[in-house]
Amino acid sequence: MDRSINFRGIAGSAGNIMQGMGKFVFGNEGPESKEDSYVERYLDRISNGTIPDDRRSAMTELQSLVAESRSAQMSFGAMGFPILLNVLKEDREDVELVRGALETFVSALTPIETSQGPKTEVQPASMNSDLLSRETENISLLLSLLSEEDFYVRYYTIQLLTALLTNSLKRLQEAILLIPRGITVLMDMLMDREVIRNEALLLLTYLTRDAEEIQKIVVFEGVFEKIFSIIREEGYSDGGVVVQDCLELLNNLIRHSSSNQMLLKETMGFDPLISILKIRRGSAFNFTQQKTVNLLGALNTVELLLTGGPSSESGKDANKNANQAALAQKNILDHLLLLGVESQWAPVALRCMALRCIGNLVLRNPQNLDSLAKKQVGEEPHVQPALNAILSIILRTSIAQEFVAADFVFKCFCEKNPNGQALLASTIAPHPNQGDTHRAASDMPFGSILLQALVSSDVNEDMEACCRASSVLSHIINDNLQSKDRLETPTPSLGRTEPLLHRIVTCLSIAASADGENNQSSHLEESYIQPVILRLLIVWLVDCSNAVNCLLESAVHLNYIIELASSKRYTACVHGLAAVVLGACVLYNASREKGRDAFAVADAISQKIGLTTYFLRFDELRKSLAHPSSKQRHRKELSRSSANSMSDFQEIEEDETNKDDQHPVLSEIFDSQFVNFLNKLESDIRENIMDIFSRTKTATAVLPAELEQKNGEVDGEYIKRLKSFVEKQCNEMQDLLARNAMLAEEFVKTGGSNTADTSQKPSSGRERVQMEALRQELEGAKRQIESLKTEKSQIEAEANHQRNLAVKMESDLKSLSDAYNSLEQANYRLDAEVKTLRQGGGVPYPDVEAIKAQAKEEAEKDSEAELNDLLVCLGQEQSKVEKLSARLAELGEDVDALLQGIGDDTAIPDDDDEDEDEDDE
């Protein structure tokens, strides 16, 4: 076996690359050049050495050097790959050498952290990974090593593939798909010894990320059974990091595939998943960090099942409903309530994830909604309804993420559930012992607990509890007119009787004044409390004219909302939401009472805020909510790298608070659904206000006394006086319509630009009408010009296409013409030759076969003559040999000894001659 490689050639061709990259990465080549020479020397011994022990020793020293030096990694990548790959191919029988080669590859692909140098410098490990993964043959070679009997060969091979995946994921995924049975070989490793099984599990976890084809093959190979078998062997949630890897692999397979979710349900069922979530009551000290991460992975699996798959897949809703029903049959709600509600000693991240799963479990599912409404939590004698317990979490928790998760439960409970909303709204009434702050909340109905948080905020200054109660109340009354009407009755509280809506506005004003006093220190709290209360006002006022009328009963309320929309000391979010509240007071106003009708509200907006500024508030609101709504959609996936950070929501909350000016609660509560609702509402508000300013203030007109004919007034004078009155009214109406047209145009432009010079406004109504007509004509002309430009560009593009096509056809036609001319010339030449032959004395066409036979006969004659000459020569030589032999015999020489071996050199030609003679014969 020839395993020698022209190492000097490799070193020479790669030397410049090695030195150049070394200078680029490390800056200078002082100590690195020495290490490069060592790498070169070791590779030379491995490549050209003849003593096995020396080659193994060189491999061991090379591995140690590469594991410790980034310069050695760079040099090895430039020179050593072909040599070690050749070892893996040709020296399989030398197990120790193969082990060393694989371990060296692993060291070359493992990053070496250094405190020196910039963080942006090139990592030799990533460059080596890229180099090794370029050729599919290399990956195929590594996969073939997994069938070797030696344990360490398989182990280092798995490690090497995992290192490749961390740096060249997409390329390795594509390569493994091209290799026959590549995935099957990796799946077989799950049945290997525990150490290799764990490495293979981690490898498959990387491999199945966002790789649909690989996921299909893995599922077809029966990965679900193997995953849950490993989880059972490891002890479910009490297991180690292997359980975490199993759950991460499972989540990769079902995250974007409804079909895989259905297959999991049909083959394995959800019993193994429920077994992971089972915990004992009172196990306060058993929540290690690893157990928490394992439970988070299982809850992530539940959440993926309850979402039903990606929204783009058909049948997502049907799959989601089926998963909800199947999980409910396994009594998963009990386990989720134990984790999220009853286990207040459990880690915060675990409680939050369990609460989100409860919300997704009951979302638009009548059976599960009914189950949650009837559920009791706690142990005797401290038993209370589950919804009351979740409300207590909302009001008492000091962690924003837990409030958001518990609030999500009520959002899902109330969505498309009018009966549930009415049930909760029916309990909103003062409790006889509501003033007793020492009384346990578990003894009070749900609505009384909620009402107490809303109406007692000005006493204990617990504005955060009021804000959170407002969020729950907004879910209860959302799209439910019956629940809104139930809350319109005055509520006696703390010795006063007033509508609950008035109390909400009072709470909003208290929160604003408190934040105003501590504006610098509580900026984040301001952006958290006031927007949530304003959201409640918006939800309450929409489609409810009674609520609008109730709010406008006091002029103080309208003035305060206008102040929120106009004052500079509030955030853009508060400005915009206050503007939406004002717009709802216009849009859903059915009052005809002077000072409280829609025209009065719109006129107050115009005078105190300014229409341009008012509509700018909508744009500011849209911008302020754009980032949180998009951020809410991108949750961090649970993996080894993110597990530790995800297990502690408090760290995440601090990071988010430092990065954004807005409170992280807004990024969750103001989701895309609510933002879309605001956008639609904004459009309706604009249209309604434009309509208000385009019509008269009153619907009915009182007939002026001037229109009646006076006593003794002749008809001619009466007609003349009427004509003068009508002309005067026409002029006034024309000025009024011109003013309203300008206002309507300003509204349509949504407060667009403030750059117009107000000093150049037209003075009379007629000029305004003329300018409006000219503006409309100008806009029509602009649109027509844009249309013509578009049409012109399309025509020019089409003309260029046709021109290019004509040039191509002309070129093709010229080529065909040249080919045709050459064929014509060849045909003409052949015709001339035929005519010449025919005119040469009537000689017939030559017989080709006869010519061949004649040539063969002549060749045979020549060959026979040459053969005869050769035989004559041989005869003459033979006679000479005989004479010489006789003479030598007379002289006493041994003729046979002299002639021995002379014929051997001519043995093969003699045979060939005989073969040629036979062929000639």
Side-chain angles (χ1 to χ4, degrees):
M1 181 184 302
D2 184 14
R3 66 172 178 263
S4 62
I5 297 178
N6 187 4
F7 177 76
R8 297 299 178 184
I10 294 176
S13 61
N16 295 333
I17 300 175
M18 178 191 66
Q19 294 175 1
M21 292 304 299
K23 290 179 182 179
F24 174 73
V25 176
F26 302 107
N28 57 47
E29 52 176 346
E32 286 78 13
S33 59
K34 183 177 180 181
E35 295 175 350
D36 295 346
S37 64
Y38 285 153
V39 172
E40 182 177 353
R41 189 183 310 164
Y42 296 147
L43 290 173
D44 185 44
R45 288 168 58 188
I46 295 170
S47 173
N48 301 320
T50 57
I51 302 174
D53 289 339
D54 181 65
R55 298 181 69 210
R56 294 168 193 154
S57 176
M59 185 72 75
T60 302
E61 293 172 357
L62 176 63
Q63 187 274 327
S64 300
L65 181 61
V66 171
E68 297 173 356
S69 170
R70 300 178 68 185
S71 175
Q73 284 185 339
M74 180 71 70
S75 301
F76 174 74
M79 298 182 289
F81 274 38
I83 298 172
L84 266 64
L85 288 173
N86 188 68
V87 169
L88 298 180
K89 292 177 184 178
E90 306 295 339
D91 294 296
R92 292 286 185 94
E93 69 281 355
D94 194 339
V95 176
E96 186 176 349
L97 189 64
V98 172
R99 285 182 193 172
L102 290 170
E103 193 173 1
T104 304
F105 272 125
V106 173
S107 300
L109 270 59
T110 302
I112 300 175
E113 298 297 334
T114 59
S115 58
Q116 300 177 354
K119 295 183 179 180
T120 57
E121 65 183 9
V122 180
Q123 286 284 352
S126 61
M127 295 175 59
N128 292 340
S129 299
D130 181 75
L131 183 63
L132 184 60
S133 61
R134 285 183 182 179
E135 299 294 334
T136 306
E137 296 179 359
N138 297 340
I139 310 302
S140 179
L141 174 62
L142 295 178
L143 290 178
S144 67
L145 291 171
L146 293 176
S147 60
E148 293 290 324
E149 295 182 359
D150 185 73
F151 167 79
Y152 287 101
V153 169
R154 300 197 306 274
Y155 176 70
Y156 289 136
T157 302
I158 286 286
Q159 280 196 328
L160 180 55
L161 290 171
T162 304
L164 282 174
L165 277 173
T166 57
N167 295 309
S168 305
L169 176 60
K170 294 297 182 182
R171 185 176 292 173
L172 193 59
Q173 287 174 336
E174 296 172 359
I176 289 181
L177 281 175
L178 297 175
I179 299 171
R181 299 188 73 253
I183 302 296
T184 304
V185 172
L186 295 177
M187 288 293 298
D188 292 339
M189 294 295 101
L190 293 179
M191 309 306 295
D192 207 318
R193 294 166 61 177
E194 183 176 350
V195 177
I196 294 180
R197 179 203 69 184
N198 297 343
E199 291 293 332
L201 185 64
L202 184 61
L203 176 64
L204 287 171
T205 301
Y206 284 114
L207 202 59
T208 53
R209 288 179 182 172
D210 300 323
E212 184 178 356
E213 294 300 324
I214 295 179
Q215 291 174 5
K216 290 179 180 179
I217 300 174
V218 169
V219 171
F220 180 76
E221 294 287 342
V223 70
F224 290 141
E225 293 84 351
K226 297 177 181 178
I227 285 176
F228 285 110
S229 175
I230 296 173
I231 292 175
R232 183 177 61 255
E233 293 175 4
E234 293 291 324
Y236 294 106
S237 62
D238 293 322
V241 72
V242 177
V243 175
Q244 177 187 343
D245 292 337
C246 286
L247 291 171
E248 184 179 352
L249 174 58
L250 176 63
N251 294 338
N252 288 345
L253 298 175
I254 67 174
R255 178 171 288 111
H256 301 299
S257 177
S258 299
S259 59
N260 287 349
Q261 292 184 10
M262 295 174 61
L263 189 61
L264 172 63
K265 180 175 58 179
E266 294 171 357
T267 56
M268 297 296 298
F270 295 147
D271 288 319
L273 183 60
I274 301 298
S275 299
I276 304 174
L277 296 175
K278 288 182 179 179
I279 61 172
R280 299 187 308 275
R281 289 182 181 271
S283 55
F285 302 103
N286 293 335
F287 279 94
T288 62
Q289 184 176 16
Q290 187 59 56
K291 182 172 183 177
T292 301
V293 173
N294 292 342
L295 288 171
L296 282 174
L299 289 174
N300 191 17
T301 305
V302 173
E303 188 175 28
L304 292 173
L305 292 171
L306 292 174
T307 55
S311 57
S312 58
E313 280 196 14
S314 59
K316 169 184 176 293
D317 293 334
N319 184 50
K320 179 186 69 174
N321 295 334
N323 291 341
Q324 284 178 325
L327 288 169
Q329 289 177 358
K330 304 298 181 183
N331 297 321
I332 194 174
L333 183 58
D334 295 333
H335 301 290
L336 295 177
L337 288 172
L338 181 59
L339 282 171
V341 180
E342 299 182 66
S343 302
Q344 290 303 303
W345 27 261
V348 176
L350 203 57
R351 302 201 304 266
C352 293
M353 183 72 81
L355 288 169
R356 297 195 67 86
C357 288
I358 293 173
N360 287 316
L361 180 67
V362 303
L363 179 63
R364 301 189 183 186
N365 189 293
Q367 293 79 14
N368 295 348
L369 286 168
D370 187 60
S371 298
L372 179 60
K374 297 177 180 178
K375 231 14 149 179
Q376 301 282 327
V377 297
E379 296 178 342
E380 293 293 346
H382 306 291
V383 178
Q384 61 177 330
L387 292 177
N388 287 27
I390 297 174
L391 177 61
S392 299
I393 293 174
I394 290 177
L395 298 178
R396 297 177 181 177
T397 182
S398 60
I399 302 172
Q401 291 290 351
E402 189 173 18
F403 155 59
V404 170
D407 183 76
F408 179 75
V409 176
F410 282 102
K411 177 181 181 296
C412 295
F413 181 83
C414 296
E415 187 171 333
K416 304 298 180 181
N417 183 24
N419 295 332
Q421 289 174 299
L423 175 66
L424 295 179
S426 64
T427 64
I428 299 179
H431 194 267
N433 299 316
Q434 183 169 324
D436 186 3
T437 57
H438 299 287
R439 187 177 181 87
S442 59
D443 298 337
M444 298 172 60
F446 175 89
S448 298
I449 301 174
L450 186 66
L451 188 62
Q452 184 179 28
L454 289 170
V455 302
S456 61
S457 57
D458 56 345
V459 176
N460 54 19
E461 297 182 354
D462 189 5
M463 297 310 304
E464 192 167 0
C466 175
C467 161
R468 296 177 178 184
S470 300
S471 181
V472 176
L473 184 59
S474 65
H475 299 314
I476 296 175
I477 65 176
N478 188 30
D479 290 332
N480 194 309
L481 189 59
Q482 180 183 358
S483 298
K484 294 178 182 179
D485 292 338
R486 187 183 294 275
L487 298 179
E488 291 303 323
T489 57
T491 302
S493 61
L494 301 177
R496 297 172 297 187
T497 300
E498 62 179 339
L500 182 58
L501 186 61
H502 290 189
R503 296 289 304 143
I504 299 300
V505 179
T506 302
C507 294
L508 182 62
S509 63
I510 294 174
S513 60
D515 290 329
E517 296 175 358
N518 305 286
N519 191 29
Q520 295 180 353
S521 61
S522 60
H523 178 72
L524 288 174
E525 299 303 325
E526 175 188 354
S527 61
Y528 163 31
I529 295 177
Q530 295 187 41
V532 174
I533 299 178
L534 286 169
R535 185 187 68 160
L536 170 61
L537 293 179
I538 293 171
V539 172
W540 202 333
L541 296 177
V542 169
D543 291 326
C544 187
S545 58
N546 293 335
V548 174
N549 187 50
C550 179
L551 178 66
L552 296 178
E553 284 180 357
S554 173
V556 176
H557 296 162
L558 179 61
N559 292 333
Y560 174 66
I561 301 299
I562 290 176
E563 181 186 355
L564 286 180
S566 58
S567 178
K568 295 182 179 180
R569 66 191 185 99
Y570 300 114
T571 62
C573 183
V574 173
H575 286 158
L577 292 173
V580 176
V581 172
L582 293 173
C585 290
V586 176
L587 182 60
Y588 301 104
N589 193 321
S591 175
R592 297 184 181 277
E593 185 177 347
K594 184 178 181 180
R596 291 166 54 180
D597 59 350
F599 192 92
V601 178
D603 191 55
I605 293 173
S606 176
Q607 292 181 7
K608 297 183 179 181
I609 301 178
L611 298 173
T612 301
T613 303
Y614 175 72
F615 281 104
L616 278 175
R617 299 307 188 204
F618 290 106
D619 298 332
E620 295 172 359
L621 176 64
R622 193 182 304 109
K623 293 177 182 178
S624 66
L625 297 181
H627 174 68
S629 63
S630 62
K631 189 171 89 173
Q632 189 263 347
R633 288 298 176 188
H634 296 87
R635 298 187 179 276
K636 186 184 295 184
E637 296 179 2
L638 187 65
S639 61
R640 274 198 180 190
S641 58
S642 62
N644 294 333
S645 60
M646 287 191 68
S647 64
D648 189 355
F649 268 143
Q650 293 179 349
E651 295 180 3
I652 295 178
E653 182 179 341
E654 291 175 1
D655 293 341
E656 292 176 350
T657 301
N658 293 332
K659 290 179 182 178
D660 292 324
D661 292 336
Q662 289 188 339
H663 199 283
V665 169
L666 295 181
S667 66
E668 300 287 345
I669 292 183
F670 284 51
D671 56 6
S672 60
Q673 183 178 355
F674 183 72
V675 172
N676 294 334
F677 164 75
L678 288 181
N679 292 336
K680 182 180 182 302
L681 188 61
E682 175 195 346
S683 176
D684 295 339
I685 290 172
R686 292 178 186 277
E687 184 178 353
N688 185 262
I689 292 181
M690 183 181 67
D691 180 67
I692 287 176
F693 279 94
S694 298
R695 55 184 170 85
T696 57
K697 182 177 180 181
T698 58
T700 59
V702 180
L703 188 65
E706 289 83 354
L707 296 181
E708 296 182 359
Q709 189 174 7
K710 300 179 180 179
N711 292 331
E713 187 178 18
V714 297
D715 293 342
E717 294 179 356
Y718 177 60
I719 293 173
K720 185 176 181 180
R721 186 165 57 84
L722 287 178
K723 183 178 179 181
S724 175
F725 178 79
V726 170
E727 288 179 354
K728 180 181 177 181
Q729 291 293 321
C730 286
N731 291 333
E732 292 179 356
M733 290 178 61
Q734 193 171 10
D735 289 340
L736 179 62
L737 290 174
R739 179 175 63 86
N740 288 339
M742 292 294 294
L743 291 174
E745 177 66 20
E746 186 179 8
F747 301 152
V748 170
K749 291 181 178 180
T750 65
S753 174
N754 292 325
T755 59
D757 188 1
T758 56
S759 63
Q760 297 180 358
K761 290 184 178 179
S763 58
S764 67
R766 291 186 179 87
E767 291 180 357
R768 292 178 180 177
V769 172
Q770 292 174 358
M771 289 186 64
E772 175 65 21
L774 291 174
R775 185 182 294 106
Q776 293 179 356
E777 292 178 2
L778 179 60
E779 291 179 354
K782 288 181 179 179
R783 288 192 296 268
Q784 188 175 5
I785 290 173
E786 293 297 329
S787 175
L788 291 174
K789 286 182 179 179
T790 303
E791 186 178 356
K792 178 185 176 184
S793 62
Q794 293 176 352
I795 293 174
E796 289 178 350
E798 182 66 21
N800 290 332
H801 176 69
Q802 296 294 337
R803 188 181 299 109
N804 295 334
L805 188 62
V807 171
K808 183 177 180 299
M809 293 179 66
E810 183 179 356
S811 176
D812 294 343
L813 182 60
K814 183 177 180 181
S815 300
L816 290 173
S817 177
D818 294 340
Y820 179 77
N821 291 334
S822 63
L823 289 174
E824 284 288 341
Q825 294 176 0
N827 189 28
Y828 177 77
R829 185 178 67 256
L830 292 174
D831 288 341
E833 292 178 358
V834 169
K835 290 180 180 179
T836 302
L837 291 173
R838 288 181 176 177
Q839 293 173 0
V843 179
Y845 290 105
D847 188 352
V848 177
E849 295 297 332
I851 294 173
K852 287 183 178 180
Q854 182 178 359
K856 183 177 181 180
E857 183 178 357
E858 292 178 355
E860 289 178 350
K861 290 180 179 180
D862 294 340
S863 177
E864 186 176 357
E866 292 177 357
L867 182 59
N868 292 332
D869 294 339
L870 181 60
L871 290 175
V872 172
C873 292
L874 287 174
Q876 294 175 355
E877 293 297 326
Q878 183 65 28
S879 61
K880 292 180 180 179
V881 169
E882 290 177 354
K883 291 181 179 180
L884 290 173
S885 298
R887 181 59 178 169
L888 289 171
E890 292 176 357
L891 295 174
E893 296 291 338
D894 189 354
V895 179
D896 293 334
L898 291 173
L899 295 178
Q900 186 178 2
I902 296 177
D904 295 341
D905 297 334
T906 59
I908 295 176
D910 289 345
D911 294 340
D912 294 340
D913 293 340
E914 292 176 1
D915 293 339
E916 290 176 1
D917 295 339
E918 290 176 358
D919 293 338
D920 293 336
E921 291 175 1

